[in-house]
Amino acid sequence: MGLKANSIQNLFRNDKVVLVFLWLMVTSINLTKAFHIDDTFHLESGEWIMQHWTTPLSGEINWDNNAEPMHTFNQPVLFFYCVAVVGSVFSFGEIPMHVLLSIFSFIALLFFLKIQRLIYPKSSLLAVALFALCPAFIVNQNVMTDVPLLAFMLGFIFYLFKAADGSARNYIYSGIFLALCLLTKYTVLPLLLVYAIVFVSRQHFKHLWSLFIPIGALALWSLWNLAEFDGVHILGREASSFSFKSLGSGLLSFAGCLTAVLPLYFILSSYFNKKVSWVLTICLLLGVVFTPIAFVLGWISHEISVGILNIGLTLLGLFLIISTLCIVWKTAKQDKLAFSFVGKPSGVMLMCFVGMALFVILFAPFMASRHVLLTIPFLLLFHIPMLEKASSTIRNVILGATVFLGLVLGISDWHYAQYYKDFAQQIPASTPSSKVWSVGHWGWQWYANKQGASMYNRDAHDVSVGDRLVKPQNISAQALHPSLILQATDSLYAPSSVWNFFSVQNAASMYSSRYKKPAWTFSIEPIDTIVVYKVDSIDLLRVEN
């Protein structure tokens, strides 16, 4: 038995075995997950591209009140082409699409491990496990751009680190991966500046031409845009207005979302002596355990439980960010604060972390776990030395908390997505012999349309008296035209489930959070109510008045 146990332990010290195990675990949770949140937009984009390969942004999608041209939305189309290829070869079903995502997940995990081995050759695999099993990585295994972007970004970082030896080939590879990033999502624009600064810091001017790989990719993409719709897609993005208030609220939102999906905060207790460390760890655990129990027993209201989560996660997030900056400061001081520091791994990671965080805080219309996900690799890499020095108790607590939250929030989000698929399949039975209009976006839009419901456009004026409108109450949806006089004829909902107690259903909080709206909460309420409306009459005078 002893030899067998030792052989299993040795097996799980093997990088390849652990990598494949973590990848299969993440994939298994999401393989059959219903389409969710922005999946529908990307799937409809893929369907359009499959029929119009040379004009990817000329289709129309209703993602607000009315169908609008795709070039008015934020994303470039590289990932949509991947969706179109898989859809045309296999199908637009959940399993083929999630297998596609799992390929990018594997690439992301592989490059994270390669980066770790490059910087810390003898470190344990704890950081890889924390990365793979954190809620931000597990929950965001949707048909969305963020995990592919993460995979390309880590590929860029890996080859940029390897290029420190002056290798032209590694600079070319890093440039190619950065180009793939920019053609997937513009969020990584700060990395273009990082790329340029690294060249100057390392004085590798003879390889500066590789900077034109990502710049050239954007230029060619923009020329394609001009040929297709007489505009440049990247220049058409609306920038958020800056204010110190928005900067402050954005920072608080980022900090709270960060620790909601990465329970690395237990490492903070390592800054203190053993006795204080134990006290802090126990207090954190008591807070995590006491709050849901007190909520279930009715000792505290839902609002108070949300307040406790919000304050606790935000403060811990701020401490974690400060901790990270302190680690970097110590490293920079060892280099005597020389400019050459920014060309080294710690300097590059600092620029990437700060650049990505500031871009999200300043320009993203809302905070989301998928935005924070792009900064998590850098946080983990910074903290690897502390994780290696931490006691086995602290390490086990961090891993246990990560696995627990990753699983419960991943399962909760799976049921959240499935809820709308299940009720969309009830549309024919709940609206017999009527013209049916689907109101609402996200996964509901995809499944309702597949059940024969027509997509409601607010200003199309093609709804008739006697038609039915089916609308979930707690998702992003079109505004109803004021001329419609509606009568609710049915309400559909399922009771709360134990799987949704750790809830991500507060207006899709894992996908849109902010200060005072944590990424997850506790809930004993139904996920949503789907209301069926009958159009009693249409009164155009209401519009004029």
Side-chain angles (χ1 to χ4, degrees), residues 6-45:
N6 287 334
S7 64
I8 293 174
Q9 289 178 359
N10 291 332
L11 189 65
F12 275 88
R13 291 191 181 99
N14 183 288
D15 287 1
K16 294 178 181 178
V17 171
V18 172
L19 181 69
V20 171
F21 174 77
L22 292 171
W23 172 62
L24 290 175
M25 188 173 179
V26 170
T27 301
S28 65
I29 296 172
N30 295 282
L31 188 62
T32 59
K33 185 178 180 179
F35 295 133
H36 198 28
I37 310 298
D38 291 349
D39 289 7
T40 296
F41 183 92
H42 302 158
L43 291 165
E44 292 186 6
S45 297

Side-chain angles (χ1 to χ4, degrees), residues 159-226:
Y159 284 109
L160 190 59
F161 285 175
K162 289 198 71 176
D165 62 359
S167 164
R169 182 177 63 179
N170 287 323
Y171 274 122
I172 292 170
Y173 288 157
S174 62
I176 291 172
F177 272 106
L178 183 53
L180 294 174
C181 286
L182 293 168
L183 296 177
T184 301
K185 199 170 184 179
Y186 300 133
T187 308
V188 292
L189 276 170
L191 299 187
L192 200 55
L193 179 60
V194 171
Y195 200 34
I197 291 173
V198 168
F199 276 110
V200 177
S201 173
R202 294 175 179 172
Q203 298 184 4
H204 289 167
F205 299 113
K206 65 179 180 179
H207 302 307
L208 194 61
W209 59 268
S210 62
L211 185 63
F212 290 96
I213 297 174
I215 293 175
L218 280 180
L220 290 173
W221 168 236
S222 298
L223 289 173
W224 190 352
N225 300 158
L226 286 169

Side-chain angles (χ1 to χ4, degrees), residues 229-281:
F229 59 88
D230 294 325
V232 176
H233 186 252
I234 192 172
L235 298 180
R237 305 311 93 214
E238 292 185 9
S240 303
S241 58
F242 173 80
S243 70
F244 287 106
K245 182 179 179 181
S246 64
L247 175 62
S249 62
L251 176 60
L252 294 176
S253 300
F254 177 83
C257 188
L258 176 64
T259 40
V261 297
L262 182 70
L264 189 60
Y265 39 78
F266 288 102
I267 197 68
L268 298 175
S269 61
S270 298
Y271 282 108
F272 305 95
N273 61 47
K274 191 172 182 179
K275 186 175 181 180
V276 175
S277 174
W278 269 101
V279 171
L280 287 173
T281 302

Side-chain angles (χ1 to χ4, degrees), residues 96 103 261 313 341 372 388 400 466:
I103 294 171
V261 297
L313 292 173
F341 166 74
V372 169
E388 295 296 301

Side-chain angles (χ1 to χ4, degrees), residues 459-479:
D459 298 329
H461 304 296
D462 46 8
V463 177
S464 302
V465 173
D467 289 355
R468 299 295 198 275
L469 276 67
V470 188
K471 180 179 183 294
Q473 302 302 293
N474 295 327
I475 68 172
S476 171
Q478 308 90 311

